[in-house]
Amino acid sequence: MSWQAWATVAVIVLAMGLFASEKLRIDLVALLVLAALVILGIVSPVEALSGFSNEATVTVAAMFALSLGIERSGALEPLTRLLMRIKRPWLLTLALMLAIAPLGAFIKNIALVATFLPLALRVCQRTHTSPARVLMPMAYAAQMGGVCTLIGTSSNLLADSLAQEHGMAAFGVFEFTRMGVVLAVVGIVYLMLVGRWLLPRQVNAEMPEQEEIGKYVTELEVTGQSSLLGSSITDARLGEQFGVYPLELLRGEKRMWSPRSQEIAVGDVLLVRGDWEKIEDFRRRAGLRSAPDSRYVQDTNHLRVMVELMVAPASPIEGRRLDETGLRWRYDAVALAIHRRGQLLRDKLSDVSLAVGDVLLVLVDEEAMSNLRNDEAFIVLSEREEAHRTPRKAWYAVAIMAAVVIGSGLHWLPIPIAAICGATAMALTGCFGRKDVYEGIDWKIIILLGAILPLGIAIEKSGLSQTLVQMGLGVVGNHGPLAALLMVYLLTALLTELMGHNPSVVLMVGIAASVAHAMNVDPRPFVVAVAFAAATSFATPVGYPTNTMVYYAGGYRFTDFMKVGIPLILIFCALSMWLIPLFWPFHPLQ
């Protein structure tokens, strides 16, 4: 191999490590890859910037806007109200999958899961069911639906764009539908008959929403009337008496770790951990006050409610501290406590840098709740009532989305143009606000797409693609195109779990096309295998954003996804080996 090919291998390995470690944001990793390829001279500046003008990048941005219009207009509310009437957990699981899978073919699956997640949690609470029994099937159904159409997921659009660059005809909007529907039906049957027995079975009949999320960390200030004055934390026996565990004592700027013998004084702040009800009981009985809440003057004329907010995947507040989130000045809200799965926080609340999946217990003005529900940075896990929306706007949103799908499906307009026209129409009809569309677009995904696409160019230019193809054909031997198709599918599935679905598509489409050409068969079936393998990531909670969302809210372990997801991937792989040659035959190249 040439030095450019070895350099490209090094960049890919480094990128895979960074993607898998999650030490850096995915868009930053993609930009580092882009910069490395340009500096090494593997791609030209023009080629490096070509990803940002790619049809897939533009279409994904427009589809984000369309999904936002459906969500903000309240078009899904009649369905959510219908689902709220269900009382049996197994029926709720089935109903959610049957509702989300078709919607996922046209609406951003992250938005779908964010919309139905609070509903699922409330029904689980009412029926005394663990959310772990419901949330993972819901996330999987969103992925199954997304693969049913070309516009259902960004990786499908990306595969189509890259296929056209390799000389193939564009895929139709509904070209994936036949195979996608079969996989979705089989997947739902598997989850209902087999997967449900592999899911965690813990049930909490008290407060699933809070108990499943875990214990909170908060700050309590010692007042002059506190019964703790003059005693030490050891003497107070907080864990035995109240079920609350002290982590740290703050006295002015001084921090005292494990302050067992330190005498408690007025003005001290205790950093404590426990269930919120026990913390509140301890606060009242010990004569303490909530330190975060006491920093602000409360307006007694406004009703304030307590809500749980989860930091959403791709949230703009990821990595920021609480005072940088805008909760106070945008919603007149005060964060009282934080929970982080798998970690014991020991910092002051104001010093904690927020991460995806963190759950905030927030006291907020009731009048600001409607705006808070629409904030893309958070997922509201518990709330009192839904925001009132105008039915007319919901009909506008549905009609515009239908026009985009029909117009692009019948080839009246190219998909990017149809999506842009639809997003413009939604803005003009008020389906979302003027600023909402910019806040609603997941810019990390847009930057990722634009910056990672030149990696495919580098793989081709450096000769790495041909080297990998020869190695792959050496493994496959003379077993024919079906064996090569299986290799492409499994390799894409593995890379997707390590890197995410979009980078794996960029890496694999060119290789898949080259494998087909080396075997002198139509490359279309191989590109389809890449698209389906990349869009159905079930084995880890980090392979797909919807998995990440339910991982935190459902209280899952990493291995839970492997137990349920790996058999499902193998089922999909076996079905794909039968259906792909059936729908896209291995025609010899002319």
Side-chain angles (χ1 to χ4, degrees):
M1 289 195 303
S2 65
W3 74 266
Q4 290 95 336
W6 283 112
T8 304
V9 169
V11 170
I12 291 172
V13 171
L14 177 62
M16 289 176 62
L18 291 174
F19 278 126
S21 69
E22 298 185 287
K23 297 295 185 183
L24 295 176
R25 288 184 2 175
I26 56 174
D27 53 338
L28 183 55
V29 174
L31 289 171
L32 288 173
V33 169
L34 181 65
L37 294 176
V38 175
I39 292 171
L40 292 170
I42 300 173
V43 298
S44 68
V46 173
E47 291 169 332
L49 297 176
S50 63
F52 293 97
S53 61
N54 187 277
E55 285 189 7
T57 307
V58 176
T59 305
V60 169
M63 293 305 299
F64 273 128
L66 290 170
S67 294
L68 183 69
I70 293 288
E71 179 190 358
R72 295 285 173 89
S73 67
L76 299 177
E77 285 184 9
L79 180 59
T80 60
R81 286 196 295 268
L82 180 64
L83 292 172
M84 277 295 292
R85 299 177 185 176
I86 298 174
K87 297 180 179 180
R88 297 190 176 184
W90 70 267
L91 186 57
L92 174 66
T93 303
L94 178 60
L96 280 171
M97 289 194 291
L98 292 178
I100 286 176
L103 290 171
F106 308 104
I107 301 173
K108 185 178 63 169
N109 44 34
I110 297 176
L112 277 177
V113 173
T115 299
F116 287 99
L117 182 57
L119 177 148
L121 288 173
R122 289 200 297 274
V123 176
C124 287
Q125 181 183 12
R126 191 178 66 231
T127 58
H128 308 306
T129 303
S130 169
R133 308 288 299 160
V134 176
L135 299 187
M136 191 186 296
M138 182 178 74
Y140 286 174
Q143 294 182 55
M144 295 176 199
V147 80
C148 287
T149 64
L150 184 63
I151 61 176
T153 179
S154 57
S155 56
N156 284 1
L157 289 165
L158 191 55
D160 175 56
S161 177
L162 292 170
Q164 292 180 57
E165 291 180 7
H166 283 83
M168 285 174 262
F171 287 95
V173 173
F174 297 105
E175 190 166 341
F176 294 155
T177 304
R178 290 180 298 174
M179 179 171 159
V181 169
V182 173
L183 293 184
V185 171
V186 172
I188 290 173
V189 171
Y190 161 80
L191 289 169
M192 291 303 299
L193 298 183
V194 179
R196 63 192 299 251
W197 302 107
L198 301 176
L199 289 167
R201 303 193 62 82
Q202 71 268 16
V203 175
N204 191 312
E206 295 299 323
M207 286 287 289
E209 292 173 85
Q210 292 183 11
E211 293 295 329
E212 289 295 333
I213 288 168
K215 293 179 171 60
Y216 288 103
V217 173
T218 189
E219 300 171 17
L220 299 176
E221 184 178 351
V222 180
T223 66
Q225 293 75 40
S226 174
S227 59
L228 300 180
L229 288 175
S231 63
S232 67
I233 288 180
T234 301
D235 296 336
R237 300 167 64 194
L238 304 184
E240 297 175 24
Q241 291 193 51
F242 304 102
V244 173
Y245 302 93
L247 304 174
E248 189 177 355
L249 189 146
L250 311 172
R251 181 170 293 168
E253 298 299 320
K254 189 176 181 181
R255 306 165 70 121
M256 305 177 188
W257 299 89
S258 300
R260 301 299 174 193
S261 60
Q262 186 69 41
E263 189 174 286
I264 298 173
V266 174
D268 285 352
V269 174
L270 293 172
L271 190 71
V272 298
R273 179 175 183 261
D275 297 328
W276 186 251
E277 289 185 352
K278 293 179 179 179
I279 291 175
E280 276 290 277
D281 179 61
F282 166 58
R283 182 186 64 79
R284 288 191 297 268
R285 290 168 60 184
L288 308 175
R289 63 182 175 184
S290 173
D293 195 25
S294 65
R295 294 179 189 140
Y296 306 105
V297 178
Q298 302 300 318
D299 184 354
T300 56
N301 295 323
H302 289 89
L303 179 63
R304 296 171 72 80
V305 295
M306 195 172 292
V307 297
E308 290 172 324
L309 302 177
M310 186 172 78
V311 179
S315 172
I317 67 166
E318 183 184 356
R320 297 184 184 179
R321 294 180 301 176
L322 273 176
D323 57 357
E324 298 172 333
T325 62
L327 278 172
R328 171 60 186 167
W329 60 268
R330 293 173 67 187
Y331 306 113
D332 192 24
V334 182
L336 301 177
I338 301 178
H339 166 69
R340 177 170 295 168
R341 178 190 173 96
Q343 283 186 244
L344 182 59
L345 297 172
R346 288 184 174 272
D347 291 327
K348 292 177 61 176
L349 299 191
S350 57
D351 294 337
V352 174
S353 294
L354 296 176
V356 171
D358 283 356
V359 177
L360 308 179
L361 197 63
V362 175
L363 196 62
V364 60
D365 192 319
E366 191 174 46
E367 295 179 356
M369 274 304 300
S370 60
N371 292 328
L372 185 57
R373 291 187 196 103
N374 289 331
D375 195 329
E376 291 285 317
F378 301 102
I379 297 170
V380 179
L381 295 181
S382 61
E383 55 181 309
R384 287 194 169 184
E385 60 184 43
E386 295 293 330
H388 176 72
R389 297 181 175 96
T390 307
R392 179 163 47 90
K393 291 183 179 180
W395 283 111
Y396 286 157
V398 172
I400 291 168
M401 177 63 87
V404 170
V405 174
I406 294 171
S408 56
L410 296 177
H411 303 289
W412 294 344
L413 287 174
I415 294 176
I417 303 302
I420 290 172
C421 290
T424 304
M426 283 195 178
L428 292 174
T429 53
C431 295
F432 46 70
R434 289 176 297 175
K435 296 181 180 179
D436 287 351
V437 65
Y438 297 104
E439 296 176 356
I441 292 176
D442 189 346
W443 291 107
K444 283 200 293 189
I445 298 299
I446 304 303
I447 297 298
L448 169 68
L449 291 176
I452 205 70
L453 275 167
L455 181 59
I457 299 174
I459 293 173
E460 294 293 327
K461 285 183 62 177
S462 65
L464 178 60
S465 177
Q466 291 302 318
T467 302
L468 294 175
V469 168
Q470 294 303 318
M471 292 171 61
L473 292 178
V475 173
V476 172
N478 298 319
H479 296 289
L482 187 61
L485 187 73
L486 177 62
M487 177 191 70
V488 167
Y489 190 103
L490 292 176
L491 184 56
T492 305
L494 176 61
L495 289 173
T496 298
E497 300 298 344
L498 295 174
M499 302 177 63
H501 57 304
N502 288 316
S504 66
V505 167
V506 171
L507 280 176
M508 288 303 301
V509 166
I511 294 172
S514 298
V515 167
H517 284 292
M519 304 195 76
N520 198 39
V521 294
D522 185 3
R524 205 169 186 82
F526 293 83
V527 174
V528 171
V530 171
F532 273 81
T536 50
S537 170
F538 305 129
T540 68
V542 296
Y544 210 88
T546 55
N547 293 358
T548 307
M549 293 166 72
V550 301
Y551 173 59
Y552 295 107
Y556 296 107
R557 294 172 299 177
F558 197 97
T559 53
D560 291 330
F561 283 84
M562 299 179 68
K563 286 192 298 184
V564 181
I566 291 177
L568 186 56
I569 289 175
L570 295 177
I571 292 171
F572 275 24
C573 179
L575 284 171
S576 298
M577 294 307 102
W578 169 51
L579 293 172
I580 292 176
L582 184 65
F583 295 145
W584 296 273
F586 296 120
H587 293 306
L589 291 174
Q590 299 298 324

